[in-house]
Amino acid sequence: MRLTEQEKCIYGNSVQVVAREDDCTIYTREDETGTARMTCYRVFPGIDLVYNDIHMQSSGMKPAMHGNFLEINHCREGRAECECGDQFYYITAGDLSIQQRKDCSHASYYPLSHYHGISILIDADHSPMCLSCFLKDVNVQPTTLIQKFCKNEAGYVVRSQPRLTHIFSELYTVPESIRKGYFKVKILELLLFLSSMSLDDDMVRERSYSGNQVTLAKDAGRYLAQHMDRRVTIDELAEQFYVSPTQLKNSFKGVYGVSIYAYTRSQKMQAAACALRQTDDTVMQIAGRYGYENPSKFAKAFKDVLGVTPNEYRNTSE
């Protein structure tokens, strides 16, 4: 099925349409880094709700969106990058990001290659000027929300809080029989909540990272991925990028949300799990491939990450 020009702008040229109905379209993307699945529902004219199931680090660059789009992202699991002005922020479970996408290319980045969440996409040029046409007392204008949260084309991050959890928790388990009406109620509830919310600029600045810090962390992540056959120390990594170990650790933790040690171990064990599923190599051979000379230490690390021993994992995967 062919993509429309608007779909190319929202999701990029590399997505494929796998199903299309009157009010629902399912998109997938696949490359050497993993897969992504986006299930999009048209709720109101110009307002879509999208379920994101992401297992890749980058969605790739998307073309410029010509128009006036507001993108609201709620993270259920994993970690996603948000660029607001010249600063970068990372949302994790329970957080919400609000960004404007207008006349600029856009790429999404998921540091842990794992992200589940919901996006609300509002095309302010084609949605109703005021949502009171759907419910009398919901006096919410999409353009006003853009002006409120996206001053100077920046954005806003709302950290996890009970009221947000209440709004989104039920959206992840909606019975199909009430789906259409329920989506409408929840979007109106969310936009009404946002319209009444007081802004705290300190909340946005908190836990922000500069472009240099983000570049350092991502370069370090790529270096670790290229040297999974051995143990790379923090001092070695810091020397490789001409920074102090403290500077490296802080930047890395900011982007990936975990320590360099925890990230490296997780990446190695995920790769080892793939080898256990797809090859007949012995556990000892696979352990050596990822820098473990001691099989018992490898088995412990594997169980810490995957919850089972390598042999148990292979047996249950057959």
Side-chain angles (χ1 to χ4, degrees), residues 109-231:
Y109 185 76
Y110 309 96
L112 303 178
S113 301
H114 174 78
Y115 178 83
H116 294 275
I118 288 174
S119 297
I120 310 295
L121 300 177
I122 302 175
D123 181 352
D125 294 334
H126 295 92
S127 64
M129 291 185 61
C130 181
L131 297 179
S132 60
C133 61
F134 299 112
L135 191 60
K136 181 178 179 181
D137 294 322
V138 182
N139 188 24
V140 178
Q141 299 179 1
T143 53
T144 301
L145 290 177
I146 292 174
Q147 294 166 4
K148 177 178 180 177
F149 290 101
C150 305
K151 298 174 184 176
N152 303 318
E153 298 188 3
Y156 199 80
V157 174
V158 184
R159 298 301 177 188
S160 180
Q161 55 179 270
R163 291 178 67 186
L164 278 180
T165 300
H166 166 74
I167 292 172
F168 281 95
S169 60
E170 295 163 340
L171 275 171
Y172 292 102
T173 55
V174 181
E176 187 172 352
S177 60
I178 63 169
R179 187 184 66 206
K180 290 184 178 180
Y182 199 79
F183 285 168
K184 292 177 181 179
V185 170
K186 297 303 284 188
I187 285 184
L188 292 176
E189 180 185 8
L190 171 64
L191 299 184
L192 188 61
F193 165 75
L194 293 177
S195 70
S196 65
M197 194 177 88
S198 298
L199 301 192
D200 179 359
D201 290 339
D202 290 335
M203 182 185 294
V204 180
R205 286 190 292 268
E206 186 180 293
R207 291 181 282 178
S208 66
Y209 299 89
S210 68
N212 288 336
Q213 288 175 299
V214 170
T215 299
L216 170 61
K218 291 180 181 178
D219 286 346
R222 281 189 286 269
Y223 185 88
L224 291 168
Q226 293 165 2
H227 297 84
M228 286 205 292
D229 58 333
R230 62 184 181 85
R231 180 175 178 269

Side-chain angles (χ1 to χ4, degrees), residues 30 38 51 79 87 89 101 157 165 171 224 245 249 281 291 314:
E30 185 173 352
M38 292 74 66
Y51 289 95
R79 192 173 183 85
Q87 296 291 303
Y89 305 83
R101 288 175 59 183
V157 174
T165 300
L171 275 171
L224 291 168
K249 287 190 287 187
D281 294 346
R314 170 168 271 171

